[in-house]
């Protein structure tokens, strides 16, 4: 996102796109800086974390970036760490596991939580509309369960797996949780213990009070989310589709399977996010279904503000770490 562009004036330009007269879009090259993986810490004092990429589906050009704390990598004997499978933000239309902003976030997370992070690259809309990202997210789980990669086989405890996503990644985690709960035996030895929804990206045709209150937000205003949903939802549906609005068609039977598995859920948000009312409604729905869910909502802030503030990110990762340790 460009802080020099007002998303209320030019929502496409704000996310690195140009809308053509025929309705198609053109992506602005290198709008979001990316970075390659490194087998050595680029800055050991700040990021004592090693990274590398592994393939998932060469035909779809999907892959994952692995993060491991350097101290754990060098420990003898090797210590098994919890596994956090992470899905990045971007409204399903922008971003990558290689985006520098998301890479730094995963560096901080691996270091602060002392966990293996697997950041998944999934296909984007409008070239690949939903459910493509959900399919890619699920394929990543099946790929990890059979992995021969030494970092994962030597250092990751597949029985202590957590799915985490920011914004659209949080939406993705919800859909993956529903799918995974229906096929837990097929995912063995990967065993999901919890789902972490960080500022999850939901919507609907009717504006919420927080969306009205923050209508001119400079980070994620309703006009921008409308544009994103228009590009990523299946053609011909509106924002009350189940991919966008989880309150329209509540999956009670599958949520019961989530409950039966004993998974714990963590929903994180802030009242400076236009989506906060939807996130709170989502959390309350999960509680109404008697799932084990924790809500952490802070004052102020903005959508995904931890990306821009390392001190806030440390607070977030402290919350996530306590959540992970409470299950282990």
């Amino acid at each position: 996102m460009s802080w020099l562009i007002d998303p209320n004036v030019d929502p496409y330009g704000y996310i690195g796109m140009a809308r053509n007269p025929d309705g198609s879009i053109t992506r602005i090259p290198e709008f979001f800086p990316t970075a390659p993986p490194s087998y050595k810490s680029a800055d050991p004092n700040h990021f004592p974390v090693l990274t590398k990429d592994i393939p998932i589906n060469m035909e779809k050009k999907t892959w994952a970036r692995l993060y491991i704390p350097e101290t754990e990598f060098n420990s003898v004997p090797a210590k098994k760490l919890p596994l956090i499978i992470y899905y990045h933000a971007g409204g399903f239309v922008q971003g990558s596991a290689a985006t520098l902003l998301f890479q730094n976030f995963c560096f901080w997370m691996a270091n602060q939580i002392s966990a293996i992070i697997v950041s998944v690259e999934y296909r984007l809309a409008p070239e690949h509309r939903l459910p493509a990202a959900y399919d890619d997210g699920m394929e990543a789980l099946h790929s990890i369960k059979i992995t021969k990669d030494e970092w994962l086989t030597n250092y990751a405890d597949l029985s202590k797996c957590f799915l985490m996503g920011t914004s659209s990644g949080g939406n993705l985690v919800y859909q993956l949780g529903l799918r995974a709960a229906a096929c837990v035996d097929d995912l063995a030895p990967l065993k999901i213990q919890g789902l972490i929804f960080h500022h999850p990206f939901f919507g609907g045709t009717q504006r919420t009070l927080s969306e009205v209150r923050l209508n001119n937000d400079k980070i994620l205003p309703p006009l921008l989310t409308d544009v994103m949903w228009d590009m990523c939802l299946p053609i011909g549906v509106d924002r009350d589709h189940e991919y966008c609005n989880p309150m329209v068609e509540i999956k009670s039977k599958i949520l019961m399977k989530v409950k039966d598995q004993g998974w714990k859920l963590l929903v994180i948000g802030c009242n400076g996010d236009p989506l906060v009312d939807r996130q709170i409604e989502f959390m309350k729905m999960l509680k109404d279904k008697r799932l084990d869910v924790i809500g952490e909502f802070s004052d102020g802030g903005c959508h995904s503000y931890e990306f821009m503030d390392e001190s806030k990110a440390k607070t977030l990762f402290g919350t996530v770490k306590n959540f992970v340790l409470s299950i282990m």
Side-chain angles (χ1 to χ4, degrees), residues 139-150:
E139 186 174 26
L141 300 185
H142 284 284
S143 178
I144 292 169
K145 80 171 186 180
I146 60 172
T147 184
K148 301 299 182 184
D149 179 81
E150 292 184 353

Side-chain angles (χ1 to χ4, degrees), residues 13 15-18 25-34 94:
I15 55 175
M17 295 179 173
I25 61 99
T26 298
R27 295 182 182 274
I28 300 173
E30 305 300 323
F31 188 80
F32 297 94
T34 59
Q94 272 293 11

Side-chain angles (χ1 to χ4, degrees), residues 169 192 241:
I192 296 170
H241 188 274

Side-chain angles (χ1 to χ4, degrees), residues 102 133 162 189 201 237:
F102 303 148
F162 298 81
F201 182 61
V237 307

Side-chain angles (χ1 to χ4, degrees), residues 166-307:
T166 298
S167 191
S168 53
N171 174 302
L172 205 158
V173 165
Y174 177 60
Q175 294 293 334
L176 289 191
L178 297 177
R179 292 189 183 192
C183 65
V184 288
D185 292 339
D186 292 340
L187 290 173
L190 193 69
K191 188 173 181 180
I192 296 170
Q193 301 287 350
L195 308 178
I196 303 168
F197 309 95
H198 176 226
H199 295 236
F201 182 61
F202 298 124
T205 56
Q206 298 296 315
R207 296 285 192 242
T208 64
L209 291 177
S210 61
E211 288 170 339
V212 172
R213 172 172 58 88
L214 297 166
N215 185 62
N216 295 314
D217 184 66
K218 300 300 183 182
I219 301 298
L220 194 74
L223 175 63
L224 177 60
T225 60
D226 289 352
V227 166
M228 289 173 161
W229 286 119
D230 184 61
M231 286 194 284
C232 72
L233 285 171
I235 293 174
V237 307
D238 64 20
R239 295 192 304 277
D240 278 335
H241 188 274
E242 63 180 295
Y243 295 162
C244 178
N245 190 346
M247 308 307 298
V248 169
E249 187 178 343
I250 298 173
K251 307 290 187 178
S252 298
K253 290 184 178 180
I254 301 179
L255 287 173
M256 183 58 67
K257 292 183 179 181
V258 172
K259 180 177 182 294
D260 291 342
Q261 290 301 317
W263 296 354
K264 291 190 176 182
L265 285 65
L266 175 63
V267 184
I268 301 167
C270 68
N271 69 7
D273 183 353
L275 302 182
V276 66
D277 283 356
R278 297 192 185 278
Q279 296 158 0
I280 292 174
E281 184 181 33
F282 171 70
M283 178 194 68
K284 289 180 177 178
M285 179 272 288
L286 298 175
K287 287 187 174 181
D288 287 344
K289 296 300 177 183
R290 301 189 182 280
L291 273 66
D292 190 349
V293 57
I294 299 170
E296 291 283 348
F297 290 88
S298 59
D299 293 331
C302 61
H303 187 74
S304 304
Y305 66 107
E306 294 92 348
F307 285 144

Side-chain angles (χ1 to χ4, degrees), residues 16-83:
M17 295 179 173
R19 191 171 189 269
N20 303 317
D22 64 358
S24 64
I25 61 99
T26 298
R27 295 182 182 274
I28 300 173
E30 305 300 323
F31 188 80
F32 297 94
T34 59
S38 173
Y39 287 90
K40 295 184 178 180
S41 296
D43 181 356
N45 294 322
H46 193 59
F47 292 140
V49 173
L50 308 181
T51 65
K52 72 172 180 178
D53 293 345
I54 59 172
I56 294 176
N57 187 313
M58 300 294 286
E59 182 178 344
K60 295 178 181 177
K61 298 181 180 179
T62 57
W63 47 274
R65 181 158 294 179
L66 276 55
Y67 299 78
I68 180 171
E70 191 167 13
T71 54
E72 303 296 348
F73 186 81
N74 294 325
S75 65
V76 179
K79 177 184 176 182
K80 293 280 189 175
L81 301 175
L83 173 66

